[in-house]
Amino acid sequence: MGRTMIILGIDTATDSVSVALGNGNLVMAHSDAVSDRQHCEALAPMIDFVCKQAGVSFREIDAVAVDIGPGLFTGMRVGIAAAKAVAFSLDLPIIGVCSLDVLAAAVPPTDSVVVAVIDARRQEVYWAMYRTIEDELTQVHAPGVGPVTGLVTDVLERAQHAQFVGNGALRYRREIVEGLGTSLPGCDFSSERFSRPTAPTLVALAHRRAMQEQWQAAHELSPLYLRPPDAEINWSTRSVS
């Protein structure tokens, strides 16, 4: 697979559904919708829509890319299940991409530390940090989960100007700014436009990885869970009480 590939990208890890078809660095078609509780209903029609818009049949797709989280558990499962179904039915390789990588990759080039933050609900956030090293966006702090105070501590330890991106950063902007105080060289927050990972960026990242044959079989793919699913937590709490 050394040639340019047509990749179907599926991103349902947050409160939106995003689907795209990409051919190399070209986004052929994409569709996005905020759908907090209707990921399953929205996804199939959107996949059909982008294929028709791009004039691409399922048989012309070379690989499937999917956001594996961290994110909302139900949304992640819907997207991963759909990606696996397409990959299995067409015998295609699958490329799983971290949601925080997708968020960070959408930020315009910067010398700052990019801090990708997703609202994990229950007063917690998911986060990871990135720097551009030799023209390549590189993860410099692995994904974590916890209260905003934990995020602030990790950012303070780097002691560098920070560019925050993601719905978690926007939701907890005041707490982040207050926590950082004047200890950093400074920080900025990306706009609402960059608040959620999207399939066009996912496809672009997946294409780079596909060119290096960084894919896997559908049965090998698993979600990136940083904490137990909410249903498991609720059951544990109920059992203890």
Side-chain angles (χ1 to χ4, degrees):
M1 294 188 182
R3 62 179 178 82
T4 299
M5 301 174 67
I6 295 178
I7 298 177
L8 171 66
I10 298 171
D11 199 312
T12 61
T14 61
D15 60 352
S16 66
V17 180
S18 183
V19 179
L21 271 175
N23 189 352
N25 293 320
L26 171 67
V27 176
M28 305 167 72
H30 70 95
S31 180
D32 303 279
V34 175
S35 179
D36 192 13
R37 297 189 179 277
Q38 298 180 359
H39 290 67
C40 190
E41 293 88 341
L43 185 55
M46 289 171 68
I47 293 174
D48 184 60
F49 172 78
V50 297
C51 287
K52 288 179 177 176
Q53 285 291 105
V56 170
S57 72
F58 262 32
R59 293 292 171 186
E60 294 177 279
I61 297 172
D62 296 303
V64 183
V66 63
D67 186 332
I68 59 171
L72 302 180
F73 296 114
T74 300
M76 287 163 54
R77 287 168 176 156
V78 168
I80 291 171
K84 285 186 172 184
V86 173
F88 274 128
S89 64
L90 300 177
D91 192 24
L92 298 177
I94 197 164
I95 304 161
V97 183
C98 171
S99 56
L100 297 163
D101 290 1
V102 181
L103 265 182
V107 176
T110 176
D111 291 331
S112 302
V113 176
V114 177
V115 187
V117 190
I118 291 176
D119 183 8
R121 299 185 176 176
R122 302 207 321 273
Q123 301 300 307
E124 291 187 334
V125 290
Y126 302 114
W127 72 89
M129 288 186 265
Y130 304 79
R131 287 298 305 271
T132 300
I133 301 173
E134 296 181 356
D135 297 324
E136 191 77 27
L137 189 67
T138 304
Q139 192 179 95
V140 294
H141 187 289
V145 61
V148 175
T149 52
L151 161 66
V152 168
T153 297
D154 283 349
V155 174
L156 285 172
E157 285 179 354
R158 292 205 66 85
Q160 296 168 307
H161 189 281
Q163 178 73 41
F164 290 91
V165 61
N167 62 0
L170 294 180
R171 177 174 180 180
Y172 295 105
R173 178 171 181 159
R174 179 176 60 82
E175 290 90 337
I176 292 170
V177 171
E178 289 178 356
L180 294 176
T182 58
S183 301
L184 279 187
C187 67
D188 294 306
F189 288 77
S190 296
S191 69
E192 177 74 24
R193 173 186 169 196
F194 300 103
S195 64
R196 299 175 179 88
T198 62
T201 305
L202 167 69
V203 165
L205 279 176
H207 180 261
R208 289 176 217 152
R209 296 179 187 185
M211 291 300 96
Q212 299 170 7
E213 299 188 1
Q214 294 178 9
W215 56 63
Q216 56 195 139
H219 71 273
E220 298 173 331
L221 187 76
S222 59
L224 177 57
Y225 289 140
L226 297 183
R227 71 180 187 200
D230 290 333
E232 293 181 15
I233 294 171
N234 292 340
W235 182 256
S236 298
T237 303
R238 175 192 265 178
S239 299
V240 171
S241 60

